[in-house]
Amino acid sequence: MNFAIIGATGNVGRKTIEVLEKSKIKVKKLFLVASKRSAGKNIKFKRKKIKVEALEKYNFGKARITFFAAGKTIAKKWAPIAAKKTIVIDNSSFFRMQKNIPLIVPEVNSSAIKNFKKTNIIANPNCSTAQLVVVLKPLHNKFKIKRVVLSTYQAVSGAGKAPMDELFTQTKKCLTGKKSISKNFTKQIAFNVIPHIDKFTKNGYTKEELKIEKETKKIIDKNINITATCVRVPVRTSHSESVNIEFKKSFSLKQIRHLLNNSSACKVVDQQRDGGYITPVEAEGSNFTYVSRIRKDYSNKKTLNLWIVSDNLLKGAALNTVQIAELLIKKYIK
Ligand code: NAP
């Protein structure tokens, strides 16, 4: 089967190439597409060089499945055109909340993909949502979640390649006492944290915070109450989340650990001693979503505290889209 990646030179696009290389999917041909700026550049896939094509000149009919990793403006304009000739799996936020578009995390709601043929477009969730729902789902199945209170600590790679580069150059400048301007963030990101991701909305929440709420409801259950605060931190890769979960039913910590340990997407690392937990640096490059600091919230009945860490470019983006492609190939297309 032939595949294509739109936005192949970006953070998610390059990670998708890596994940495809390691996956069991048999890729006959891979087409790499980006802006005119990158056209003609060579990128390696399985030791072969592939020439990047400009989006405007690319023929979508060449690939059976096309990963879009070029942002929502490109997705809005080009995905419907592409979907006439190829199945689109889109990383952007543009289609996620549209009723007739499946929003998929294969370990959580794989059956929701069945109607993809109506539009030929499947949406990939926000990176912070993906790692949250793989943890919430098995717990919700057993104890019914009433409310989630969440704070994120999001890595700069989640904002794209240019913001990631800004952290490196700004850190160097700060260390050498030079002045540096913030181009990709509203404030200095080096040696700082910024409580603001995506645009502000009228109710004081940012769009990122509302995405997590709405996407979690669409993927798991509309009756889960959820409130989020999203924070950008000077970490290269992997998002962390401090999560407080109130259940309808009583639980034991043993049951929680058992459920999470038996989930194919999760790994519990919770030794409750110095260093016995996961940090973003350790999660980078791993397909797992890690859960640490599992403890009861003694300030409220039937409530749990967790620390969740996952590579935002993998489960939050490239890995999840390739898993969606694997699901399509296994069950829905030939
Ligand atoms: P990025 O690093 O900024 O990469 C953007 C890509 O889009 C580049 O390949 C760029 O090509 C291409 N592009 C930009 N303008 C274009 C145009 N006019 N025509 C064709 N291609 C164009 O961004 P990213 O972090 O990979 O994010 C990509 C998408 O994934 C976004 O929608 C983002 O919200 C979503 N997402 C990201 C993450 C994450 O953790 N990073 C997680 C989930 C979802 P050039 O190099 O030629 O400019």
Side-chain angles (χ1 to χ4, degrees), residues 6-14 33-39 41 54-56 68-72 74 78 90-93 96 124-127 157-163 211 239 312-313 316-318:
I6 313 300
T9 51
N11 272 350
V12 174
R14 284 179 287 124
V33 182
S35 77
K36 281 181 222 154
R37 297 178 288 274
S38 309
K41 273 186 192 168
L55 177 59
E56 285 79 4
F68 267 67
K72 66 177 178 194
I74 299 291
W78 292 95
D90 179 41
N91 277 286
S92 85
S93 59
R96 288 179 196 153
N124 193 59
N126 178 277
C127 33
S157 61
K161 193 176 175 309
K211 277 182 231 165
H239 292 348
N312 53 297
L313 296 173

mmCIF file of all heavy atoms in Angstrom, residues 6-14 33-39 41 54-56 68-72 74 78 90-93 96 124-127 157-163 211 239 312-313 316-318, ligand 1:
data_model
loop_
_atom_site.group_PDB
_atom_site.id
_atom_site.type_symbol
_atom_site.label_atom_id
_atom_site.label_comp_id
_atom_site.label_asym_id
_atom_site.label_seq_id
_atom_site.Cartn_x
_atom_site.Cartn_y
_atom_site.Cartn_z
ATOM 1 N N ILE A 6 1.694 14.711 4.528
ATOM 2 C CA ILE A 6 1.650 16.144 4.209
ATOM 3 C C ILE A 6 2.172 16.873 5.455
ATOM 4 O O ILE A 6 1.616 16.712 6.554
ATOM 5 C CB ILE A 6 0.197 16.618 3.901
ATOM 6 C CG1 ILE A 6 -0.515 15.647 2.932
ATOM 7 C CG2 ILE A 6 0.176 18.059 3.397
ATOM 8 C CD1 ILE A 6 0.119 15.469 1.580
ATOM 9 N N GLY A 7 3.246 17.625 5.287
ATOM 10 C CA GLY A 7 3.905 18.233 6.455
ATOM 11 C C GLY A 7 5.044 17.344 6.926
ATOM 12 O O GLY A 7 5.352 17.276 8.116
ATOM 13 N N ALA A 8 5.668 16.679 5.960
ATOM 14 C CA ALA A 8 6.685 15.653 6.273
ATOM 15 C C ALA A 8 7.956 16.220 6.891
ATOM 16 O O ALA A 8 8.727 15.488 7.516
ATOM 17 C CB ALA A 8 7.036 14.894 4.991
ATOM 18 N N THR A 9 8.186 17.522 6.744
ATOM 19 C CA THR A 9 9.424 18.120 7.267
ATOM 20 C C THR A 9 9.256 18.649 8.694
ATOM 21 O O THR A 9 10.223 19.070 9.311
ATOM 22 C CB THR A 9 9.852 19.297 6.363
ATOM 23 O OG1 THR A 9 8.714 20.160 6.202
ATOM 24 C CG2 THR A 9 10.329 18.829 5.012
ATOM 25 N N GLY A 10 8.038 18.651 9.223
ATOM 26 C CA GLY A 10 7.784 19.204 10.557
ATOM 27 C C GLY A 10 8.027 18.179 11.654
ATOM 28 O O GLY A 10 8.446 17.039 11.394
ATOM 29 N N ASN A 11 7.765 18.579 12.888
ATOM 30 C CA ASN A 11 7.990 17.692 14.039
ATOM 31 C C ASN A 11 7.183 16.404 13.943
ATOM 32 O O ASN A 11 7.708 15.306 14.120
ATOM 33 C CB ASN A 11 7.584 18.420 15.335
ATOM 34 C CG ASN A 11 8.727 19.227 15.908
ATOM 35 O OD1 ASN A 11 9.867 19.109 15.456
ATOM 36 N ND2 ASN A 11 8.427 20.044 16.894
ATOM 37 N N VAL A 12 5.889 16.548 13.671
ATOM 38 C CA VAL A 12 5.022 15.365 13.625
ATOM 39 C C VAL A 12 5.307 14.556 12.354
ATOM 40 O O VAL A 12 5.363 13.325 12.378
ATOM 41 C CB VAL A 12 3.533 15.773 13.703
ATOM 42 C CG1 VAL A 12 2.621 14.575 13.521
ATOM 43 C CG2 VAL A 12 3.252 16.454 15.036
ATOM 44 N N GLY A 13 5.491 15.254 11.242
ATOM 45 C CA GLY A 13 5.771 14.572 9.976
ATOM 46 C C GLY A 13 7.024 13.706 10.063
ATOM 47 O O GLY A 13 7.009 12.534 9.684
ATOM 48 N N ARG A 14 8.109 14.274 10.600
ATOM 49 C CA ARG A 14 9.361 13.502 10.698
ATOM 50 C C ARG A 14 9.191 12.322 11.645
ATOM 51 O O ARG A 14 9.710 11.241 11.413
ATOM 52 C CB ARG A 14 10.512 14.407 11.148
ATOM 53 C CG ARG A 14 11.014 15.314 10.009
ATOM 54 C CD ARG A 14 12.132 16.221 10.433
ATOM 55 N NE ARG A 14 11.628 17.275 11.291
ATOM 56 C CZ ARG A 14 12.074 17.536 12.523
ATOM 57 N NH1 ARG A 14 13.050 16.842 13.041
ATOM 58 N NH2 ARG A 14 11.554 18.506 13.241
ATOM 59 N N VAL A 33 5.463 15.286 1.447
ATOM 60 C CA VAL A 33 4.968 16.545 0.893
ATOM 61 C C VAL A 33 5.096 17.641 1.966
ATOM 62 O O VAL A 33 4.889 17.379 3.151
ATOM 63 C CB VAL A 33 3.474 16.374 0.484
ATOM 64 C CG1 VAL A 33 2.936 17.659 -0.137
ATOM 65 C CG2 VAL A 33 3.302 15.195 -0.474
ATOM 66 N N ALA A 34 5.464 18.827 1.529
ATOM 67 C CA ALA A 34 5.546 19.976 2.462
ATOM 68 C C ALA A 34 5.315 21.254 1.662
ATOM 69 O O ALA A 34 4.753 21.210 0.562
ATOM 70 C CB ALA A 34 6.886 19.982 3.179
ATOM 71 N N SER A 35 5.772 22.383 2.196
ATOM 72 C CA SER A 35 5.568 23.646 1.473
ATOM 73 C C SER A 35 6.601 23.768 0.354
ATOM 74 O O SER A 35 7.556 22.991 0.294
ATOM 75 C CB SER A 35 5.697 24.815 2.442
ATOM 76 O OG SER A 35 7.059 25.048 2.712
ATOM 77 N N LYS A 36 6.423 24.805 -0.446
ATOM 78 C CA LYS A 36 7.375 25.064 -1.550
ATOM 79 C C LYS A 36 8.791 25.209 -1.010
ATOM 80 O O LYS A 36 9.749 24.855 -1.663
ATOM 81 C CB LYS A 36 6.989 26.368 -2.246
ATOM 82 C CG LYS A 36 5.837 26.241 -3.204
ATOM 83 C CD LYS A 36 5.583 27.623 -3.841
ATOM 84 C CE LYS A 36 4.097 27.872 -3.912
ATOM 85 N NZ LYS A 36 3.716 29.262 -3.922
ATOM 86 N N ARG A 37 8.903 25.771 0.220
ATOM 87 C CA ARG A 37 10.223 25.997 0.831
ATOM 88 C C ARG A 37 11.030 24.708 0.918
ATOM 89 O O ARG A 37 12.251 24.710 0.798
ATOM 90 C CB ARG A 37 10.072 26.547 2.259
ATOM 91 C CG ARG A 37 9.400 27.880 2.373
ATOM 92 C CD ARG A 37 9.289 28.269 3.851
ATOM 93 N NE ARG A 37 8.291 27.469 4.582
ATOM 94 C CZ ARG A 37 6.998 27.755 4.637
ATOM 95 N NH1 ARG A 37 6.542 28.819 4.028
ATOM 96 N NH2 ARG A 37 6.144 27.001 5.312
ATOM 97 N N SER A 38 10.353 23.595 1.129
ATOM 98 C CA SER A 38 11.065 22.322 1.335
ATOM 99 C C SER A 38 11.112 21.449 0.083
ATOM 100 O O SER A 38 11.763 20.394 0.087
ATOM 101 C CB SER A 38 10.382 21.509 2.432
ATOM 102 O OG SER A 38 10.196 22.276 3.565
ATOM 103 N N ALA A 39 10.397 21.850 -0.968
ATOM 104 C CA ALA A 39 10.341 21.006 -2.169
ATOM 105 C C ALA A 39 11.750 20.752 -2.702
ATOM 106 O O ALA A 39 12.573 21.666 -2.755
ATOM 107 C CB ALA A 39 9.485 21.688 -3.224
ATOM 108 N N LYS A 41 14.019 18.870 -1.224
ATOM 109 C CA LYS A 41 14.880 18.340 -0.151
ATOM 110 C C LYS A 41 14.759 16.817 -0.126
ATOM 111 O O LYS A 41 13.700 16.271 -0.447
ATOM 112 C CB LYS A 41 14.384 18.829 1.215
ATOM 113 C CG LYS A 41 14.944 20.157 1.642
ATOM 114 C CD LYS A 41 14.486 20.437 3.075
ATOM 115 C CE LYS A 41 14.756 21.868 3.447
ATOM 116 N NZ LYS A 41 14.088 22.246 4.698
ATOM 117 N N ALA A 54 6.130 19.613 -3.387
ATOM 118 C CA ALA A 54 5.343 20.783 -2.946
ATOM 119 C C ALA A 54 3.862 20.411 -2.953
ATOM 120 O O ALA A 54 3.381 19.748 -3.883
ATOM 121 C CB ALA A 54 5.585 21.957 -3.874
ATOM 122 N N LEU A 55 3.151 20.827 -1.908
ATOM 123 C CA LEU A 55 1.741 20.461 -1.760
ATOM 124 C C LEU A 55 0.901 20.822 -2.990
ATOM 125 O O LEU A 55 0.093 20.019 -3.458
ATOM 126 C CB LEU A 55 1.183 21.143 -0.498
ATOM 127 C CG LEU A 55 -0.290 20.953 -0.181
ATOM 128 C CD1 LEU A 55 -0.635 19.481 -0.006
ATOM 129 C CD2 LEU A 55 -0.671 21.717 1.081
ATOM 130 N N GLU A 56 1.104 22.012 -3.508
ATOM 131 C CA GLU A 56 0.286 22.482 -4.644
ATOM 132 C C GLU A 56 0.415 21.574 -5.862
ATOM 133 O O GLU A 56 -0.508 21.479 -6.661
ATOM 134 C CB GLU A 56 0.683 23.911 -5.052
ATOM 135 C CG GLU A 56 0.201 25.007 -4.132
ATOM 136 C CD GLU A 56 1.055 25.137 -2.879
ATOM 137 O OE1 GLU A 56 2.073 24.410 -2.770
ATOM 138 O OE2 GLU A 56 0.689 25.936 -1.999
ATOM 139 N N PHE A 68 -1.969 13.822 7.433
ATOM 140 C CA PHE A 68 -1.835 15.276 7.385
ATOM 141 C C PHE A 68 -1.187 15.755 8.683
ATOM 142 O O PHE A 68 -1.709 15.502 9.767
ATOM 143 C CB PHE A 68 -3.208 15.943 7.222
ATOM 144 C CG PHE A 68 -3.588 16.224 5.798
ATOM 145 C CD1 PHE A 68 -3.840 15.187 4.913
ATOM 146 C CD2 PHE A 68 -3.697 17.532 5.325
ATOM 147 C CE1 PHE A 68 -4.187 15.439 3.585
ATOM 148 C CE2 PHE A 68 -4.046 17.803 4.012
ATOM 149 C CZ PHE A 68 -4.287 16.751 3.134
ATOM 150 N N ALA A 69 -0.052 16.458 8.575
ATOM 151 C CA ALA A 69 0.646 16.992 9.756
ATOM 152 C C ALA A 69 1.161 18.380 9.414
ATOM 153 O O ALA A 69 2.343 18.682 9.565
ATOM 154 C CB ALA A 69 1.791 16.059 10.152
ATOM 155 N N ALA A 70 0.267 19.223 8.920
ATOM 156 C CA ALA A 70 0.688 20.549 8.450
ATOM 157 C C ALA A 70 -0.170 21.671 9.032
ATOM 158 O O ALA A 70 -0.183 22.777 8.512
ATOM 159 C CB ALA A 70 0.640 20.588 6.929
ATOM 160 N N GLY A 71 -0.911 21.384 10.101
ATOM 161 C CA GLY A 71 -1.696 22.420 10.752
ATOM 162 C C GLY A 71 -3.114 22.523 10.209
ATOM 163 O O GLY A 71 -3.461 21.921 9.191
ATOM 164 N N LYS A 72 -3.935 23.309 10.933
ATOM 165 C CA LYS A 72 -5.371 23.301 10.603
ATOM 166 C C LYS A 72 -5.727 24.107 9.362
ATOM 167 O O LYS A 72 -6.702 23.792 8.690
ATOM 168 C CB LYS A 72 -6.218 23.690 11.817
ATOM 169 C CG LYS A 72 -6.079 25.089 12.312
ATOM 170 C CD LYS A 72 -7.046 25.285 13.461
ATOM 171 C CE LYS A 72 -6.858 26.696 13.988
ATOM 172 N NZ LYS A 72 -7.473 26.929 15.252
ATOM 173 N N ILE A 74 -4.014 24.299 6.577
ATOM 174 C CA ILE A 74 -3.760 23.392 5.441
ATOM 175 C C ILE A 74 -4.810 22.274 5.425
ATOM 176 O O ILE A 74 -5.353 21.922 4.370
ATOM 177 C CB ILE A 74 -2.337 22.780 5.553
ATOM 178 C CG1 ILE A 74 -1.270 23.883 5.516
ATOM 179 C CG2 ILE A 74 -2.087 21.719 4.475
ATOM 180 C CD1 ILE A 74 -1.120 24.588 4.201
ATOM 181 N N TRP A 78 -7.057 21.591 2.254
ATOM 182 C CA TRP A 78 -6.625 20.484 1.402
ATOM 183 C C TRP A 78 -7.186 19.107 1.752
ATOM 184 O O TRP A 78 -7.307 18.253 0.865
ATOM 185 C CB TRP A 78 -5.090 20.407 1.380
ATOM 186 C CG TRP A 78 -4.467 21.568 0.676
ATOM 187 C CD1 TRP A 78 -4.001 22.725 1.252
ATOM 188 C CD2 TRP A 78 -4.255 21.709 -0.736
ATOM 189 N NE1 TRP A 78 -3.500 23.570 0.283
ATOM 190 C CE2 TRP A 78 -3.649 22.971 -0.947
ATOM 191 C CE3 TRP A 78 -4.523 20.889 -1.840
ATOM 192 C CZ2 TRP A 78 -3.297 23.438 -2.213
ATOM 193 C CZ3 TRP A 78 -4.177 21.347 -3.102
ATOM 194 C CH2 TRP A 78 -3.581 22.611 -3.281
ATOM 195 N N ASP A 90 -5.849 13.051 9.996
ATOM 196 C CA ASP A 90 -5.385 14.427 10.214
ATOM 197 C C ASP A 90 -5.011 14.697 11.672
ATOM 198 O O ASP A 90 -5.767 14.401 12.586
ATOM 199 C CB ASP A 90 -6.480 15.413 9.776
ATOM 200 C CG ASP A 90 -6.048 16.854 10.011
ATOM 201 O OD1 ASP A 90 -4.866 17.160 9.749
ATOM 202 O OD2 ASP A 90 -6.871 17.658 10.470
ATOM 203 N N ASN A 91 -3.825 15.303 11.847
ATOM 204 C CA ASN A 91 -3.338 15.646 13.190
ATOM 205 C C ASN A 91 -3.896 16.966 13.727
ATOM 206 O O ASN A 91 -3.765 17.240 14.911
ATOM 207 C CB ASN A 91 -1.809 15.785 13.151
ATOM 208 C CG ASN A 91 -1.110 14.460 13.270
ATOM 209 O OD1 ASN A 91 -1.062 13.873 14.351
ATOM 210 N ND2 ASN A 91 -0.553 13.966 12.173
ATOM 211 N N SER A 92 -4.453 17.787 12.884
ATOM 212 C CA SER A 92 -4.836 19.132 13.336
ATOM 213 C C SER A 92 -6.158 19.100 14.106
ATOM 214 O O SER A 92 -6.856 18.092 14.145
ATOM 215 C CB SER A 92 -4.968 20.069 12.137
ATOM 216 O OG SER A 92 -6.259 19.955 11.579
ATOM 217 N N SER A 93 -6.506 20.254 14.669
ATOM 218 C CA SER A 93 -7.748 20.331 15.448
ATOM 219 C C SER A 93 -8.971 20.578 14.557
ATOM 220 O O SER A 93 -10.095 20.527 15.039
ATOM 221 C CB SER A 93 -7.638 21.461 16.476
ATOM 222 O OG SER A 93 -7.391 22.692 15.814
ATOM 223 N N ARG A 96 -11.676 17.619 14.367
ATOM 224 C CA ARG A 96 -11.875 16.754 15.541
ATOM 225 C C ARG A 96 -13.291 16.741 16.100
ATOM 226 O O ARG A 96 -13.799 15.691 16.471
ATOM 227 C CB ARG A 96 -10.915 17.169 16.661
ATOM 228 C CG ARG A 96 -9.483 16.796 16.391
ATOM 229 C CD ARG A 96 -8.595 17.263 17.528
ATOM 230 N NE ARG A 96 -7.199 17.252 17.134
ATOM 231 C CZ ARG A 96 -6.278 18.047 17.670
ATOM 232 N NH1 ARG A 96 -6.615 18.889 18.632
ATOM 233 N NH2 ARG A 96 -5.037 17.982 17.272
ATOM 234 N N ASN A 124 -7.133 12.850 14.496
ATOM 235 C CA ASN A 124 -6.269 12.431 15.602
ATOM 236 C C ASN A 124 -6.439 13.470 16.714
ATOM 237 O O ASN A 124 -6.448 14.662 16.440
ATOM 238 C CB ASN A 124 -4.815 12.450 15.081
ATOM 239 C CG ASN A 124 -3.864 11.750 16.016
ATOM 240 O OD1 ASN A 124 -4.030 10.571 16.300
ATOM 241 N ND2 ASN A 124 -2.872 12.469 16.500
ATOM 242 N N PRO A 125 -6.554 13.032 17.971
ATOM 243 C CA PRO A 125 -6.796 14.031 19.019
ATOM 244 C C PRO A 125 -5.583 14.889 19.347
ATOM 245 O O PRO A 125 -4.463 14.591 18.935
ATOM 246 C CB PRO A 125 -7.183 13.182 20.225
ATOM 247 C CG PRO A 125 -6.667 11.845 19.945
ATOM 248 C CD PRO A 125 -6.591 11.672 18.470
ATOM 249 N N ASN A 126 -5.826 15.908 20.130
ATOM 250 C CA ASN A 126 -4.773 16.748 20.705
ATOM 251 C C ASN A 126 -3.826 15.844 21.510
ATOM 252 O O ASN A 126 -4.258 14.865 22.123
ATOM 253 C CB ASN A 126 -5.475 17.756 21.626
ATOM 254 C CG ASN A 126 -4.518 18.667 22.326
ATOM 255 O OD1 ASN A 126 -3.962 18.308 23.357
ATOM 256 N ND2 ASN A 126 -4.318 19.840 21.786
ATOM 257 N N CYS A 127 -2.547 16.215 21.528
ATOM 258 C CA CYS A 127 -1.546 15.381 22.216
ATOM 259 C C CYS A 127 -1.873 15.180 23.702
ATOM 260 O O CYS A 127 -1.727 14.073 24.235
ATOM 261 C CB CYS A 127 -0.148 15.959 22.045
ATOM 262 S SG CYS A 127 -0.099 17.743 21.957
ATOM 263 N N SER A 157 8.054 21.013 21.928
ATOM 264 C CA SER A 157 7.906 20.331 20.631
ATOM 265 C C SER A 157 6.433 20.207 20.241
ATOM 266 O O SER A 157 6.116 20.050 19.067
ATOM 267 C CB SER A 157 8.570 18.956 20.643
ATOM 268 O OG SER A 157 7.958 18.149 21.618
ATOM 269 N N GLY A 158 5.546 20.296 21.209
ATOM 270 C CA GLY A 158 4.113 20.237 20.930
ATOM 271 C C GLY A 158 3.628 21.439 20.141
ATOM 272 O O GLY A 158 2.571 21.398 19.528
ATOM 273 N N ALA A 159 4.411 22.515 20.163
ATOM 274 C CA ALA A 159 3.998 23.719 19.447
ATOM 275 C C ALA A 159 4.541 23.746 18.027
ATOM 276 O O ALA A 159 4.163 24.603 17.233
ATOM 277 C CB ALA A 159 4.464 24.947 20.216
ATOM 278 N N GLY A 160 5.454 22.831 17.692
ATOM 279 C CA GLY A 160 6.029 22.786 16.336
ATOM 280 C C GLY A 160 7.541 22.965 16.372
ATOM 281 O O GLY A 160 8.133 23.192 17.433
ATOM 282 N N LYS A 161 8.149 22.888 15.205
ATOM 283 C CA LYS A 161 9.612 22.913 15.112
ATOM 284 C C LYS A 161 10.194 24.291 15.488
ATOM 285 O O LYS A 161 11.174 24.383 16.231
ATOM 286 C CB LYS A 161 10.030 22.516 13.692
ATOM 287 C CG LYS A 161 11.486 22.212 13.575
ATOM 288 C CD LYS A 161 11.862 21.732 12.209
ATOM 289 C CE LYS A 161 13.362 21.558 12.082
ATOM 290 N NZ LYS A 161 14.121 22.726 12.506
ATOM 291 N N ALA A 162 9.566 25.348 14.983
ATOM 292 C CA ALA A 162 10.106 26.692 15.247
ATOM 293 C C ALA A 162 10.089 27.035 16.745
ATOM 294 O O ALA A 162 11.105 27.494 17.287
ATOM 295 C CB ALA A 162 9.339 27.723 14.424
ATOM 296 N N PRO A 163 8.997 26.776 17.468
ATOM 297 C CA PRO A 163 9.001 27.026 18.909
ATOM 298 C C PRO A 163 10.034 26.181 19.664
ATOM 299 O O PRO A 163 10.632 26.633 20.630
ATOM 300 C CB PRO A 163 7.584 26.640 19.340
ATOM 301 C CG PRO A 163 6.766 26.753 18.114
ATOM 302 C CD PRO A 163 7.654 26.400 16.974
ATOM 303 N N LYS A 211 -10.162 22.140 24.182
ATOM 304 C CA LYS A 211 -9.976 20.968 23.305
ATOM 305 C C LYS A 211 -9.920 19.703 24.158
ATOM 306 O O LYS A 211 -10.562 18.704 23.844
ATOM 307 C CB LYS A 211 -8.657 21.084 22.529
ATOM 308 C CG LYS A 211 -8.727 21.921 21.266
ATOM 309 C CD LYS A 211 -7.357 21.904 20.590
ATOM 310 C CE LYS A 211 -6.877 23.288 20.270
ATOM 311 N NZ LYS A 211 -5.464 23.370 19.953
ATOM 312 N N HIS A 239 4.779 15.468 27.239
ATOM 313 C CA HIS A 239 3.881 16.269 28.068
ATOM 314 C C HIS A 239 3.630 15.529 29.386
ATOM 315 O O HIS A 239 3.504 14.300 29.403
ATOM 316 C CB HIS A 239 2.522 16.451 27.375
ATOM 317 C CG HIS A 239 2.558 17.296 26.135
ATOM 318 N ND1 HIS A 239 3.633 18.065 25.772
ATOM 319 C CD2 HIS A 239 1.599 17.511 25.184
ATOM 320 C CE1 HIS A 239 3.352 18.711 24.646
ATOM 321 N NE2 HIS A 239 2.135 18.375 24.263
ATOM 322 N N ASN A 312 4.757 13.403 23.427
ATOM 323 C CA ASN A 312 3.679 14.086 22.686
ATOM 324 C C ASN A 312 3.770 13.880 21.185
ATOM 325 O O ASN A 312 2.774 13.981 20.472
ATOM 326 C CB ASN A 312 3.697 15.588 22.991
ATOM 327 C CG ASN A 312 5.063 16.215 22.769
ATOM 328 O OD1 ASN A 312 6.029 15.860 23.442
ATOM 329 N ND2 ASN A 312 5.160 17.128 21.830
ATOM 330 N N LEU A 313 4.976 13.600 20.683
ATOM 331 C CA LEU A 313 5.103 13.386 19.234
ATOM 332 C C LEU A 313 4.754 11.944 18.866
ATOM 333 O O LEU A 313 4.506 11.632 17.711
ATOM 334 C CB LEU A 313 6.522 13.716 18.768
ATOM 335 C CG LEU A 313 6.938 15.181 18.927
ATOM 336 C CD1 LEU A 313 8.402 15.372 18.605
ATOM 337 C CD2 LEU A 313 6.075 16.091 18.047
ATOM 338 N N GLY A 316 0.874 11.182 21.290
ATOM 339 C CA GLY A 316 0.121 12.413 21.043
ATOM 340 C C GLY A 316 -0.040 12.753 19.578
ATOM 341 O O GLY A 316 -0.794 13.659 19.227
ATOM 342 N N ALA A 317 0.663 12.052 18.694
ATOM 343 C CA ALA A 317 0.588 12.419 17.276
ATOM 344 C C ALA A 317 0.940 11.224 16.370
ATOM 345 O O ALA A 317 0.075 10.417 16.037
ATOM 346 C CB ALA A 317 1.491 13.610 16.986
ATOM 347 N N ALA A 318 2.228 11.091 16.021
ATOM 348 C CA ALA A 318 2.641 10.142 14.980
ATOM 349 C C ALA A 318 2.248 8.690 15.286
ATOM 350 O O ALA A 318 1.691 7.995 14.427
ATOM 351 C CB ALA A 318 4.151 10.231 14.781
HETATM 352 P P1 NAP B 1 5.646 21.951 12.456
HETATM 353 O O1 NAP B 1 6.813 21.309 13.094
HETATM 354 O O2 NAP B 1 5.564 23.424 12.472
HETATM 355 O O3 NAP B 1 5.539 21.420 10.948
HETATM 356 C C1 NAP B 1 4.612 21.954 10.026
HETATM 357 C C2 NAP B 1 4.677 21.201 8.711
HETATM 358 O O4 NAP B 1 3.679 21.738 7.847
HETATM 359 C C3 NAP B 1 6.007 21.329 7.975
HETATM 360 O O5 NAP B 1 6.294 20.153 7.285
HETATM 361 C C4 NAP B 1 5.715 22.454 6.991
HETATM 362 O O6 NAP B 1 6.519 22.395 5.812
HETATM 363 C C5 NAP B 1 4.284 22.119 6.615
HETATM 364 N N1 NAP B 1 3.654 23.318 6.051
HETATM 365 C C6 NAP B 1 3.525 24.531 6.595
HETATM 366 N N2 NAP B 1 2.931 25.385 5.737
HETATM 367 C C7 NAP B 1 2.676 24.671 4.613
HETATM 368 C C8 NAP B 1 2.100 24.977 3.359
HETATM 369 N N3 NAP B 1 1.638 26.205 3.073
HETATM 370 N N4 NAP B 1 1.998 23.996 2.429
HETATM 371 C C9 NAP B 1 2.451 22.764 2.694
HETATM 372 N N5 NAP B 1 3.030 22.395 3.864
HETATM 373 C C10 NAP B 1 3.133 23.351 4.803
HETATM 374 O O7 NAP B 1 4.276 21.465 13.161
HETATM 375 P P2 NAP B 1 3.991 20.086 13.955
HETATM 376 O O8 NAP B 1 4.291 20.236 15.389
HETATM 377 O O9 NAP B 1 4.616 18.963 13.213
HETATM 378 O O10 NAP B 1 2.393 20.008 13.896
HETATM 379 C C11 NAP B 1 1.714 19.587 12.734
HETATM 380 C C12 NAP B 1 0.242 19.371 13.071
HETATM 381 O O11 NAP B 1 0.113 18.339 14.043
HETATM 382 C C13 NAP B 1 -0.460 20.587 13.696
HETATM 383 O O12 NAP B 1 -1.786 20.611 13.262
HETATM 384 C C14 NAP B 1 -0.421 20.310 15.182
HETATM 385 O O13 NAP B 1 -1.422 20.966 15.883
HETATM 386 C C15 NAP B 1 -0.632 18.808 15.164
HETATM 387 N N6 NAP B 1 -0.191 18.108 16.362
HETATM 388 C C16 NAP B 1 1.045 18.314 16.837
HETATM 389 C C17 NAP B 1 1.454 17.608 17.953
HETATM 390 C C18 NAP B 1 2.811 17.831 18.524
HETATM 391 O O14 NAP B 1 3.066 17.312 19.639
HETATM 392 N N7 NAP B 1 3.722 18.526 17.856
HETATM 393 C C19 NAP B 1 0.611 16.672 18.546
HETATM 394 C C20 NAP B 1 -0.649 16.473 18.016
HETATM 395 C C21 NAP B 1 -1.030 17.190 16.912
HETATM 396 P P3 NAP B 1 7.833 23.308 5.633
HETATM 397 O O15 NAP B 1 8.901 22.670 6.482
HETATM 398 O O16 NAP B 1 8.093 23.226 4.190
HETATM 399 O O17 NAP B 1 7.471 24.686 6.119
#
